[in-house]
């Protein structure tokens, strides 16, 4: 008899049952037969931290079968189960095949990137997935390997930001090597967060993220010296879908393309801390959540990350240094792979400038959510954000935060000085 524990009294879908986890173990461990002994459910993330999915941490106790007999020894394994329920509000995720793409990334692309790199590991191990009754994918629990998520509210310091940028540089570089060996892969990764398919087919995207832009327009109109910027933001709101689509779309002058992670903010990568002498300094970094990955300009990932996830004082003082850290790792990985025609630092700078509107999207659409205090974030969901009264209360609370105002003021001034508002 299988013991099922659920101390947090989580509402667990019926299909996450004994049969499901037996199949998960047999597929993931390549075992012909296992006997499940115990299933222990916990939440895998904080309420409000994930908009489109429910994440469970599941600890399994089981016995393998050897030579036709059940082993006397019990094994234990901790897994992450990610479910993506499709509702009316999240139908756009189905339209861009996020489940199929993430499954393909874990089963096909990441293993090849690992082989092509200098021993780097870019994501968790894949175990099992089902498309029905709810799209569900199961991976190894990175927490067991010493990884944890950094604070989204606080923003990343130099040690955390520079380490994940090195990892991103290697990821981008290795994806170029893969695309050269297998050019067909690029056609399978054309749709990211700002793809035409999402933006033009779904009102959800504009209703949700346009709400944050309206909040910023309202706030910036009250800031002395920001009158012109506020008008430019209103112009963006008036042309919301076309500006967002253009931010990610291929352009005639693009210098090179890479596989973008596609959702580069703090909750989508994790850190391990292996140095006991410096317990707060990360030594390893790894990515999670590849459902919005796409081949496009590397500046999509970089500008999004730099406008959502880094401490303001670090951006103000060392933004260029961060980009150089990324580029050094990118170039080194390509040199290791003996890649011809390595993009130059000047090529990267060109890409960064040509995709500043992608960073602008991160600044108005994601930064307010990411820096939101936990007490404000608990009831966040795409469904709730469809309710106008709920959204208005939430926006007023979010945009009254001084730290968010300071961040957005600095970033908008920078964008204005670069002429970014003339890009659309």
């Amino acid at each position: 008899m299988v013991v099922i524990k659920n101390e947090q009294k989580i509402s667990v879908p019926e299909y996450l049952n004994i049969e499901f986890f037996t199949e998960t173990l047999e597929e993931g461990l390549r075992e012909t037969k296992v006997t499940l002994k115990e299933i222990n459910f916990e939440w895998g993330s904080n309420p409000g931290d994930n908009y489109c999915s429910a994440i469970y941490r599941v600890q399994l106790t089981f016995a393998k079968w050897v030579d036709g007999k059940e082993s006397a020894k019990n094994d234990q394994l901790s897994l992450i189960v990610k479910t993506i329920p499709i509702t009316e509000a999240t139908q756009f995720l189905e339209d861009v095949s996020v489940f199929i793409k993430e499954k393909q990334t874990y089963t096909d692309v990441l293993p090849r990137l690992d082989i092509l790199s200098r021993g780097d590991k870019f994501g968790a191990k894949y175990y099992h997935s089902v498309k029905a009754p709810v799209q569900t994918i199961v991976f190894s629990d990175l927490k067991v390997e010493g990884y944890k998520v950094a604070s989204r509210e606080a923003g990343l310091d130099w040690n955390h930001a520079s380490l994940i940028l090195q990892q991103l540089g290697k990821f981008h570089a290795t994806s170029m090597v893969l695309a050269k060996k297998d050019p067909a892969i690029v056609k399978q990764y054309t749709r990211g967060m700002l793809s035409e398919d999402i933006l033009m087919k779904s009102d959800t995207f504009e209703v949700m993220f346009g709400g944050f832009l309206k909040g910023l327009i309202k706030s910036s109109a009250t800031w002395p010296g920001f009158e012109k910027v506020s008008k430019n933001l209103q112009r963006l709101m008036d042309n919301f879908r076309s500006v967002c689509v253009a931010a990610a779309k291929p352009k005639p002058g693009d210098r090179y393309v890479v596989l973008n992670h596609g959702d580069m903010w703090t909750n989508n990568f994790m850190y391990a801390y292996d140095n006991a002498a410096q317990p707060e300094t990360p030594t390893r970094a790894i990515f999670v959540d590849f459902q919005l990955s796409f081949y496009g300009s590397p500046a999509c990932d970089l500008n999004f990350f730099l406008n959502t996830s880094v401490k303001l004082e670090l951006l103000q003082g060392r933004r260029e240094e961060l980009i150089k850290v990324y580029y050094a790792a990118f170039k080194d990985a390509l040199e290791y792979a003996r890649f011809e025609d390595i993009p130059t630092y000047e090529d990267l700078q060109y890409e960064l400038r040509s995709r500043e509107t992608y960073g602008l999207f991160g600044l108005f659409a994601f930064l307010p959510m990411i820096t939101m205090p936990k007490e404000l974030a608990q009831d966040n969901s795409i469904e709730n954000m469809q309710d106008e009264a709920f959204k208005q209360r939430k926006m007023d609370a979010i945009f009254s935060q001084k730290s968010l105002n300071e961040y957005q003021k600095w970033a908008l001034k920078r964008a204005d000085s670069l002429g970014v508002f003339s890009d659309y």
Side-chain angles (χ1 to χ4, degrees):
M1 186 176 140
V2 180
V3 177
I4 296 176
K5 292 183 179 176
N6 185 351
E7 285 177 18
Q8 296 175 335
K9 296 188 169 52
I10 294 165
S11 173
V12 178
E14 273 181 36
Y15 73 95
L16 294 182
N17 54 24
I18 295 163
E19 184 186 10
F20 177 88
F21 287 111
T22 302
E23 282 178 21
T24 296
L25 289 169
E26 288 171 354
E27 181 184 351
L29 298 173
R30 313 261 195 291
E31 294 286 339
T32 51
K33 189 173 182 182
V34 300
T35 303
L36 204 52
K37 305 287 185 177
E38 186 176 298
I39 307 173
N40 192 348
F41 290 98
E42 293 175 13
W43 278 123
S45 64
N46 296 318
D49 276 358
N50 294 86
Y51 278 71
C52 306
S53 53
I55 296 176
Y56 309 92
R57 174 169 282 107
V58 183
Q59 276 140 354
L60 303 174
T61 305
F62 60 97
K64 294 175 184 174
W65 281 60
V66 183
D67 299 328
K69 286 188 300 205
E70 184 184 311
S71 169
K73 179 173 146 293
N74 283 349
D75 289 303
Q76 286 194 316
L77 188 65
S78 185
L79 297 172
I80 293 295
V81 180
K82 175 179 174 181
T83 69
I84 311 166
I86 298 299
T87 63
E88 195 179 338
T90 59
Q91 181 59 42
F92 68 91
L93 294 172
E94 175 88 334
D95 295 341
V96 291
S97 313
V98 295
F99 171 75
I100 298 299
K101 182 194 285 180
E102 186 158 40
K103 180 180 176 180
Q104 180 183 353
T105 305
Y106 276 100
T107 56
D108 176 38
V109 175
L110 292 184
R112 288 200 276 166
L113 292 183
D114 289 351
I115 291 163
L116 293 169
S117 73
R118 196 191 273 120
D120 291 298
K121 183 180 170 185
F122 297 114
K125 172 179 156 58
Y126 166 90
Y127 272 79
H128 181 55
S129 60
V130 294
K131 198 166 183 189
V134 177
Q135 296 180 355
T136 303
I137 191 160
V138 186
F139 327 100
S140 58
D141 183 359
L142 292 168
K143 194 175 173 184
V144 173
E145 297 174 46
Y147 289 100
K148 61 183 181 181
V149 177
S151 166
R152 63 172 173 78
E153 307 100 299
L156 303 175
D157 60 16
W158 172 265
N159 289 331
H160 288 80
S162 60
L163 184 64
I164 196 64
L165 282 172
Q166 287 173 52
Q167 193 72 353
L168 185 65
K170 294 173 194 174
F171 178 74
H172 282 175
T174 313
S175 76
M176 287 179 72
V177 178
L178 176 62
K180 197 161 192 177
K181 290 181 181 295
D182 181 9
I185 201 86
V186 177
K187 292 187 177 67
Q188 292 166 20
Y189 283 84
T190 56
R191 298 183 292 192
M193 188 188 298
L194 297 186
S195 79
E196 223 159 336
D197 294 10
I198 290 184
L199 282 151
M200 296 307 182
K201 285 183 184 173
S202 163
D203 291 335
T204 304
F205 200 89
E206 184 171 352
V207 167
M208 184 176 177
F209 295 121
F212 286 106
L213 179 53
K214 284 175 186 169
L216 179 56
I217 292 165
K218 189 176 166 186
S219 279
S220 60
T222 67
W223 301 336
F226 279 82
E227 297 79 11
K228 187 162 70 99
V229 168
S230 193
K231 286 194 173 108
N232 280 319
L233 290 174
Q234 183 57 56
R235 193 163 51 80
L236 199 163
M237 187 70 236
D238 295 340
N239 301 280
F240 183 86
R241 297 190 192 200
S242 60
V243 174
C244 288
V245 166
K249 235 182 173 177
K251 297 182 183 184
D254 287 349
R255 303 279 174 97
Y256 62 105
V257 300
V258 302
L259 181 62
N260 281 262
H261 174 276
D263 201 2
M264 265 300 288
W265 65 278
T266 329
N267 273 20
N268 288 334
F269 37 85
M270 298 174 81
Y271 296 96
Y273 304 79
D274 302 315
N275 185 351
Q278 294 178 294
E280 290 178 21
T281 303
T283 51
R284 290 177 286 146
I286 198 165
F287 301 108
V288 297
D289 200 344
F290 292 91
Q291 57 190 31
L292 293 168
S293 299
F294 68 100
Y295 267 94
S297 168
C300 295
D301 265 353
L302 284 164
N303 284 334
F304 188 83
F305 172 79
L306 291 167
N307 279 279
T308 59
S309 306
V310 180
K311 284 183 182 294
L312 176 57
E313 57 269 28
L314 183 56
L315 275 185
Q316 289 168 325
R318 304 179 74 179
R319 189 179 188 278
E320 185 76 11
E321 274 183 80
L322 286 171
I323 293 163
K324 284 179 175 169
V325 163
Y326 160 87
Y327 181 74
F330 170 79
K331 187 179 177 209
D332 178 65
L334 287 177
E335 285 173 346
Y336 170 76
R338 295 189 170 86
F339 191 85
E340 292 175 13
D341 303 321
I342 295 175
T344 64
Y345 187 65
E346 192 266 329
D347 288 332
L348 173 59
Q349 287 178 308
Y350 174 88
E351 290 296 324
L352 285 165
R353 176 59 192 87
S354 82
R355 301 290 172 174
E356 282 285 351
T357 48
Y358 203 102
L360 200 58
F361 169 77
L363 182 75
F364 73 72
F366 273 74
L367 183 69
M369 289 192 286
I370 292 166
T371 55
M372 202 184 296
K374 279 197 169 67
E375 61 273 14
L376 261 182
Q378 284 186 341
D379 52 358
N380 283 355
S381 69
I382 284 184
E383 279 74 23
N384 282 346
M385 286 295 185
Q386 306 299 299
D387 179 84
E388 279 304 318
F390 172 90
K391 195 163 69 178
Q392 198 49 58
R393 284 196 308 276
K394 184 73 78 175
M395 293 301 157
D396 290 345
I398 290 166
F399 285 96
S400 65
Q401 297 173 96
K402 187 170 180 288
S403 57
L404 176 63
N405 293 164
E406 293 306 312
Y407 203 121
Q408 291 186 319
K409 280 179 187 175
W410 180 83
L412 289 170
K413 273 239 165 79
R414 179 185 165 275
D416 195 25
S417 69
L418 289 172
V420 176
F421 299 116
S422 302
D423 291 358
Y424 61 84

